Amino acid sequence: MEIKRPYLLFLGDAADPLAAKVGQGIVDWRPGNVVGQYRMENCNADMGIEDLSIAESVAKGAKTLVIGVANRGGIISDEWVKVLMEALDNGMDIAAGLHNKLNDIPELKKKAEEKGLNLYDVRHPTQTPPIADGKKREGKRLLAVGTDCSCGKMYTTLAIDKEMRERGMKSTFRATGQTGILITGSGISIDAVVADFLSGAVEELTPVNDADHWDVIEGQGSVYHPSFSGVTAGLIHGSQADALVLCHEPTRTHMRGLPHYALPTIEDTMETVLRFAVRTNPNVKFVGLSINTHKLSEEEATSYLKELEEKFGLPCVDPVRTGTAKIVDAL
Amino acid sequence: MEIKRPYLLFLGDAADPLAAKVGQGIVDWRPGNVVGQYRMENCNADMGIEDLSIAESVAKGAKTLVIGVANRGGIISDEWVKVLMEALDNGMDIAAGLHNKLNDIPELKKKAEEKGLNLYDVRHPTQTPPIADGKKREGKRLLAVGTDCSCGKMYTTLAIDKEMRERGMKSTFRATGQTGILITGSGISIDAVVADFLSGAVEELTPVNDADHWDVIEGQGSVYHPSFSGVTAGLIHGSQADALVLCHEPTRTHMRGLPHYALPTIEDTMETVLRFAVRTNPNVKFVGLSINTHKLSEEEATSYLKELEEKFGLPCVDPVRTGTAKIVDAL
C-alpha cells in the first residue's frame, strides 16, 4: 500500500486541536506531503496551512484526502460523508486511520468502485502477510521498544529518521501504526494483523535493502504490557533489529490502561527485550535511550538524562528537548 | 462457541491414516463424543468405530458432522460437498478445522442459513475477543510451553487433564488450536486472532473459576520461534499461568520449518518464559518437563528423563511412555 501524495488534510469539525493530532503529525513531519487543509464549520483546529476547497486542492495537485482528525462519538457523520463524496467526485483517493471503516459506508464504497479510486482504511490491513522465515536480510534496522505503550516510540523513530536523512544517511521510517502510516503514506498497522503473520508482516515491511540503509521502525506496545506483548514480540523477532532504542516516560506510575500494573524498570525491560531479540539477530544492541521528559522541568530533565547516561553507558536523549543526534552519532 | 455433541466423524477419502489424525485425536481423547464414522469410497483410514450413514448417525443422536480428515490438494471437493449437503438436509451442524472455509462454499452457506444450522470453521474465529485487562482471576491455570512448535504440547495437556479428571480433580482442557477444538467441542484458534486481542482471547478462554479448578491450556509456538513468538507471548500473559510445563523433542536439530535456526536449549527457553510469565503472575513456576521420546529407545528414553530430572529437580515424563502422573502429583 502506497498512499498517493500530496494530500488535502481533512480536519472536519475537530472538537479541539488535540482531536486533529494525526493532522498535526503529518504537518510536523512531512509538510511537503500536504497542499492545504479542509475545515468545516465548527472546526476548532488549525494547522496554520492554506484553507482549500476540494476543487482548489485538486488544482494544486492533491491526490488523496487524508482524514487528520478523530471522529466525534465514533461515527462518520453525514456531514463528513458529503465532503468525502465530493472528494471522490473530484477524483481523489481517501485515507483514514479511524476505527470505523470508510469501506463500510455503502455510498463511498460504490462511488470509489465506479470511479476506480481507493479508500484506505489504514487501521485495517486487507492483505495477508507471509509467515516469517527469520532469514537474515541485507540492510540495517533500528527498532524502538518501550517500558510501556504510548511513551514516545513513534516520535523517537521519526526524529531519528529525520536526523539520519539530514546527515545524508540512507534511512526509511517504517510505520507500524495508523498515524505513522498516514504521515508517510505507507506501512502496516501491526496490531491489526492476524497473530500467525505478525513477524512475517514486519519482515515484509522491512525488506532486503542496501547494506548501509537503515530501516527506522516504529515500535508498538511493550514486552511487559499484559495486553499487547504479543505484538511487541512479533516486532522484535520480525525486525531482526541491529539497534534498539529504549523509550520511557519517567513520571508514569502504572502501565497505560492498567492501573493495577506498575511500570517495569528500564533495566528489566532491556534485559527481557535482549533475551528475545538475540534469537533473530545475535549482534543486536541497545544504542540509546529516548526519554519523554515533557512533565519534568528543564533542570530535572537534564539531570535525569545525565544520570541514565552514567548508569547505562549509552546516549540518553529527549527527542523534543535535545534531539536525537547523540543516538545517531553512536550508530 | 460450543460445538454440539455427539459427532459423526467424517473421514472422507482419507489418503492414509495420517490424513485422518484429527479424527484419531477425537476418538483417542473423547470417544464418548462420537457415535460413528462416515467413510467414502477410497477411504484409507479407519478409526475402528461403527460405519454409519448420515441418517443412521442422526438416529443415534449425532448433532454435528465433524471433518476429521485433511482435504486432498487443499480444496473441498464436490464429492465432499455432496455428503455435507446431506448432513445439513438431515439437520446436522458441520464443523471443520481446514484452511478453506465451509462458509466460503455458497451452497453450504445458503442451506445452513435456510435451516438455521451452524457451519463452524474453527480455524477462523468469527468473534472479536476483548482487549486483555491482566486482572487476576480466581482458579488455577497450567500452560504448556515448548522449545519449538509441534513438540507435544496438545498431547501433554490433554494427558494432564485426563489424569486430573481421573483423580477427581476439577479440570478443563482449554484448546487453542483447531484439533484441540474439534476434540473437545470448544476453544479458540489463537494463532488466527488479530494481534491486539491475543492476550484478551486467552483471558476469555480461561475465565474466573473455582479456586481449586485447573484450566489446562494447550500451548502454541515457542517464545524462541521467529515466526510465531507473538502468539506464545500472548498465551503466556493472557493465561496468567500458575504452573508451566516445558515440552521438548530431544532429537530435533532445528526449529520446525526453519532449518537455519538451531533448537534453543531447555534452560534458555525456561528462563525467557519465566521472565515473561512473572509479569502477570509473580508466583508462576515450572512444575515439570514433558519430553517426546518417540524417536529414542526405551533405554535411552529412561536415562534421558532421569538425567533431566536430576538436572532440573522437576518431574520429567513422556506422556505416552510414562503418563503424566508425576507432574499431577507435584501440583
PDB file of all heavy atoms in Angstrom, chain B residues 201-214:
ATOM      1  N   ALA B 201      -8.030 -12.861  24.175  1.00  0.00           N
ATOM      2  CA  ALA B 201      -8.673 -14.116  23.789  1.00  0.00           C
ATOM      3  C   ALA B 201      -8.349 -15.214  24.804  1.00  0.00           C
ATOM      4  O   ALA B 201      -9.207 -16.035  25.143  1.00  0.00           O
ATOM      5  CB  ALA B 201      -8.209 -14.532  22.396  1.00  0.00           C
ATOM      6  N   VAL B 202      -7.121 -15.211  25.299  1.00  0.00           N
ATOM      7  CA  VAL B 202      -6.717 -16.235  26.265  1.00  0.00           C
ATOM      8  C   VAL B 202      -7.403 -15.985  27.616  1.00  0.00           C
ATOM      9  O   VAL B 202      -7.843 -16.920  28.290  1.00  0.00           O
ATOM     10  CB  VAL B 202      -5.181 -16.280  26.423  1.00  0.00           C
ATOM     11  CG1 VAL B 202      -4.779 -17.401  27.360  1.00  0.00           C
ATOM     12  CG2 VAL B 202      -4.511 -16.449  25.069  1.00  0.00           C
ATOM     13  N   GLU B 203      -7.527 -14.725  27.976  1.00  0.00           N
ATOM     14  CA  GLU B 203      -8.258 -14.411  29.212  1.00  0.00           C
ATOM     15  C   GLU B 203      -9.706 -14.896  29.119  1.00  0.00           C
ATOM     16  O   GLU B 203     -10.252 -15.466  30.069  1.00  0.00           O
ATOM     17  CB  GLU B 203      -8.232 -12.899  29.493  1.00  0.00           C
ATOM     18  CG  GLU B 203      -6.851 -12.387  29.909  1.00  0.00           C
ATOM     19  CD  GLU B 203      -6.868 -10.925  30.351  1.00  0.00           C
ATOM     20  OE1 GLU B 203      -7.929 -10.265  30.256  1.00  0.00           O
ATOM     21  OE2 GLU B 203      -5.810 -10.441  30.782  1.00  0.00           O
ATOM     22  N   GLU B 204     -10.310 -14.679  27.959  1.00  0.00           N
ATOM     23  CA  GLU B 204     -11.704 -15.082  27.767  1.00  0.00           C
ATOM     24  C   GLU B 204     -11.845 -16.610  27.766  1.00  0.00           C
ATOM     25  O   GLU B 204     -12.828 -17.162  28.255  1.00  0.00           O
ATOM     26  CB  GLU B 204     -12.205 -14.512  26.441  1.00  0.00           C
ATOM     27  CG  GLU B 204     -13.699 -14.579  26.267  1.00  0.00           C
ATOM     28  CD  GLU B 204     -14.145 -13.840  25.003  1.00  0.00           C
ATOM     29  OE1 GLU B 204     -13.658 -14.164  23.901  1.00  0.00           O
ATOM     30  OE2 GLU B 204     -14.978 -12.931  25.128  1.00  0.00           O
ATOM     31  N   LEU B 205     -10.829 -17.283  27.225  1.00  0.00           N
ATOM     32  CA  LEU B 205     -10.849 -18.750  27.144  1.00  0.00           C
ATOM     33  C   LEU B 205     -10.718 -19.397  28.521  1.00  0.00           C
ATOM     34  O   LEU B 205     -11.169 -20.527  28.724  1.00  0.00           O
ATOM     35  CB  LEU B 205      -9.682 -19.213  26.251  1.00  0.00           C
ATOM     36  CG  LEU B 205      -9.480 -20.704  26.023  1.00  0.00           C
ATOM     37  CD1 LEU B 205     -10.638 -21.282  25.196  1.00  0.00           C
ATOM     38  CD2 LEU B 205      -8.143 -20.988  25.328  1.00  0.00           C
ATOM     39  N   THR B 206     -10.102 -18.683  29.453  1.00  0.00           N
ATOM     40  CA  THR B 206      -9.816 -19.258  30.772  1.00  0.00           C
ATOM     41  C   THR B 206     -10.360 -18.345  31.862  1.00  0.00           C
ATOM     42  O   THR B 206      -9.608 -17.753  32.626  1.00  0.00           O
ATOM     43  CB  THR B 206      -8.289 -19.441  30.948  1.00  0.00           C
ATOM     44  OG1 THR B 206      -7.654 -18.152  30.848  1.00  0.00           O
ATOM     45  CG2 THR B 206      -7.703 -20.344  29.882  1.00  0.00           C
ATOM     46  N   PRO B 207     -11.690 -18.258  31.938  1.00  0.00           N
ATOM     47  CA  PRO B 207     -12.308 -17.241  32.811  1.00  0.00           C
ATOM     48  C   PRO B 207     -12.240 -17.620  34.295  1.00  0.00           C
ATOM     49  O   PRO B 207     -11.771 -18.704  34.652  1.00  0.00           O
ATOM     50  CB  PRO B 207     -13.753 -17.231  32.323  1.00  0.00           C
ATOM     51  CG  PRO B 207     -13.995 -18.605  31.785  1.00  0.00           C
ATOM     52  CD  PRO B 207     -12.676 -19.085  31.260  1.00  0.00           C
ATOM     53  N   VAL B 208     -12.739 -16.726  35.118  1.00  0.00           N
ATOM     54  CA  VAL B 208     -12.863 -16.972  36.562  1.00  0.00           C
ATOM     55  C   VAL B 208     -13.450 -18.361  36.789  1.00  0.00           C
ATOM     56  O   VAL B 208     -14.381 -18.776  36.098  1.00  0.00           O
ATOM     57  CB  VAL B 208     -13.800 -15.919  37.194  1.00  0.00           C
ATOM     58  CG1 VAL B 208     -14.057 -16.224  38.668  1.00  0.00           C
ATOM     59  CG2 VAL B 208     -13.219 -14.520  37.016  1.00  0.00           C
ATOM     60  N   ASN B 209     -12.932 -19.065  37.782  1.00  0.00           N
ATOM     61  CA  ASN B 209     -13.415 -20.405  38.063  1.00  0.00           C
ATOM     62  C   ASN B 209     -13.260 -20.685  39.556  1.00  0.00           C
ATOM     63  O   ASN B 209     -12.782 -19.835  40.299  1.00  0.00           O
ATOM     64  CB  ASN B 209     -12.622 -21.423  37.228  1.00  0.00           C
ATOM     65  CG  ASN B 209     -13.510 -22.564  36.742  1.00  0.00           C
ATOM     66  OD1 ASN B 209     -14.290 -23.109  37.520  1.00  0.00           O
ATOM     67  ND2 ASN B 209     -13.399 -22.900  35.472  1.00  0.00           N
ATOM     68  N   ASP B 210     -13.671 -21.890  39.975  1.00  0.00           N
ATOM     69  CA  ASP B 210     -13.476 -22.264  41.377  1.00  0.00           C
ATOM     70  C   ASP B 210     -11.991 -22.207  41.734  1.00  0.00           C
ATOM     71  O   ASP B 210     -11.141 -22.501  40.893  1.00  0.00           O
ATOM     72  CB  ASP B 210     -13.970 -23.699  41.618  1.00  0.00           C
ATOM     73  CG  ASP B 210     -15.462 -23.830  41.408  1.00  0.00           C
ATOM     74  OD1 ASP B 210     -16.146 -22.781  41.359  1.00  0.00           O
ATOM     75  OD2 ASP B 210     -15.947 -24.968  41.284  1.00  0.00           O
ATOM     76  N   ALA B 211     -11.707 -21.900  42.975  1.00  0.00           N
ATOM     77  CA  ALA B 211     -10.318 -21.745  43.394  1.00  0.00           C
ATOM     78  C   ALA B 211      -9.523 -23.036  43.182  1.00  0.00           C
ATOM     79  O   ALA B 211      -8.319 -22.997  42.939  1.00  0.00           O
ATOM     80  CB  ALA B 211     -10.253 -21.310  44.859  1.00  0.00           C
ATOM     81  N   ASP B 212     -10.180 -24.190  43.255  1.00  0.00           N
ATOM     82  CA  ASP B 212      -9.460 -25.460  43.094  1.00  0.00           C
ATOM     83  C   ASP B 212      -9.664 -26.067  41.703  1.00  0.00           C
ATOM     84  O   ASP B 212      -9.407 -27.247  41.489  1.00  0.00           O
ATOM     85  CB  ASP B 212      -9.892 -26.459  44.174  1.00  0.00           C
ATOM     86  CG  ASP B 212     -11.390 -26.758  44.110  1.00  0.00           C
ATOM     87  OD1 ASP B 212     -12.128 -26.018  43.414  1.00  0.00           O
ATOM     88  OD2 ASP B 212     -11.819 -27.736  44.754  1.00  0.00           O
ATOM     89  N   HIS B 213     -10.125 -25.258  40.761  1.00  0.00           N
ATOM     90  CA  HIS B 213     -10.291 -25.749  39.383  1.00  0.00           C
ATOM     91  C   HIS B 213      -9.050 -25.420  38.553  1.00  0.00           C
ATOM     92  O   HIS B 213      -8.515 -24.323  38.630  1.00  0.00           O
ATOM     93  CB  HIS B 213     -11.521 -25.096  38.739  1.00  0.00           C
ATOM     94  CG  HIS B 213     -11.700 -25.465  37.294  1.00  0.00           C
ATOM     95  ND1 HIS B 213     -11.027 -24.816  36.280  1.00  0.00           N
ATOM     96  CD2 HIS B 213     -12.442 -26.429  36.693  1.00  0.00           C
ATOM     97  CE1 HIS B 213     -11.359 -25.367  35.111  1.00  0.00           C
ATOM     98  NE2 HIS B 213     -12.211 -26.349  35.344  1.00  0.00           N
ATOM     99  N   TRP B 214      -8.622 -26.383  37.754  1.00  0.00           N
ATOM    100  CA  TRP B 214      -7.488 -26.152  36.847  1.00  0.00           C
ATOM    101  C   TRP B 214      -7.972 -26.014  35.407  1.00  0.00           C
ATOM    102  O   TRP B 214      -8.669 -26.893  34.904  1.00  0.00           O
ATOM    103  CB  TRP B 214      -6.506 -27.330  36.904  1.00  0.00           C
ATOM    104  CG  TRP B 214      -5.628 -27.319  38.111  1.00  0.00           C
ATOM    105  CD1 TRP B 214      -5.866 -27.928  39.304  1.00  0.00           C
ATOM    106  CD2 TRP B 214      -4.358 -26.660  38.230  1.00  0.00           C
ATOM    107  NE1 TRP B 214      -4.828 -27.691  40.176  1.00  0.00           N
ATOM    108  CE2 TRP B 214      -3.885 -26.915  39.539  1.00  0.00           C
ATOM    109  CE3 TRP B 214      -3.588 -25.870  37.370  1.00  0.00           C
ATOM    110  CZ2 TRP B 214      -2.665 -26.415  40.002  1.00  0.00           C
ATOM    111  CZ3 TRP B 214      -2.368 -25.380  37.837  1.00  0.00           C
ATOM    112  CH2 TRP B 214      -1.917 -25.648  39.138  1.00  0.00           C
TER     113      TRP B 214
END
